[in-house]
């Protein structure tokens, strides 16, 4: 966001190709629009609290960081365009096992367009389909 502003761009349109799974991106993007200096790790944790029960939110945040670090988008970016990786100790196997074990928050404090349970199932499925990561 800061780079866009420095080049004189003050408006950006967002495109979601997996709208339900990417509600996390939309949430974090909108929060960054509100506060360009917000800590991304904190925003990921905030979103995780919407989706997972409180006891599982930190684990979901860890899985989300792993997914972000290994996303197809990140994989295809040229080296000079890649964002720095967020700290994460997980591997694909651990991320998938954790994603499958996270319990959904049945009553999130903000409305979301899909149930937390469905979102978590899509997340686990997406991890299993990330064939470019071993």
């Amino acid at each position: 966001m800061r780079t866009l502003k420095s080049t004189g761009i003050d408006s950006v349109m967002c495109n979601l190709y997996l709208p339900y799974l990417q509600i996390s991106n939309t949430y974090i993007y909108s929060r960054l629009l509100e506060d360009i200096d917000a800590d991304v790790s904190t925003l990921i944790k905030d979103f995780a609290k919407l989706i997972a029960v409180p006891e599982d939110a930190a684990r979901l945040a860890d899985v989300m960081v792993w997914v972000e670090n290994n996303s197809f988008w990140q994989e295809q970016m040229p080296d000079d365009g890649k964002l720095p990786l967020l700290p994460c100790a997980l591997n694909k196997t651990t991320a998938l096992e954790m994603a499958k074990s996270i319990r959904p928050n049945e009553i999130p404090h903000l409305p979301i367009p899909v149930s937390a349970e469905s979102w978590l199932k899509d997340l686990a499925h997406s991890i299993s389909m990330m064939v470019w990561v071993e």
Side-chain angles (χ1 to χ4, degrees), residues 14-68:
C14 180
N15 178 24
L16 301 174
Y17 56 91
L18 298 169
Y20 290 137
L21 189 57
Q22 292 182 332
I23 59 173
S24 58
N25 293 358
T26 305
Y27 174 86
I28 293 166
Y29 181 72
S30 67
R31 296 279 307 273
L32 286 170
L33 289 172
E34 292 174 344
D35 179 4
I36 199 167
D37 295 315
D39 176 61
V40 173
S41 294
T42 299
L43 299 179
I44 290 170
K45 291 173 187 171
D46 290 347
F47 180 80
K49 292 174 187 173
L50 288 173
I51 299 296
V53 296
E55 301 82 16
D56 292 351
R59 293 182 327 125
L60 176 55
D62 289 343
V63 171
M64 291 174 63
V65 166
W66 182 88
V67 170
E68 182 63 28

Side-chain angles (χ1 to χ4, degrees), residues 92-125:
K92 182 178 180 179
T93 301
T94 308
L96 181 56
E97 289 172 1
M98 285 175 67
K100 288 179 178 180
S101 71
I102 294 167
R103 296 165 293 164
N105 179 358
E106 300 297 332
I107 309 170
H109 68 273
L110 290 174
I112 55 176
V114 63
S115 73
E117 181 179 11
S118 293
W119 191 88
L120 288 167
K121 285 181 183 176
D122 283 349
L123 176 65
H125 177 72

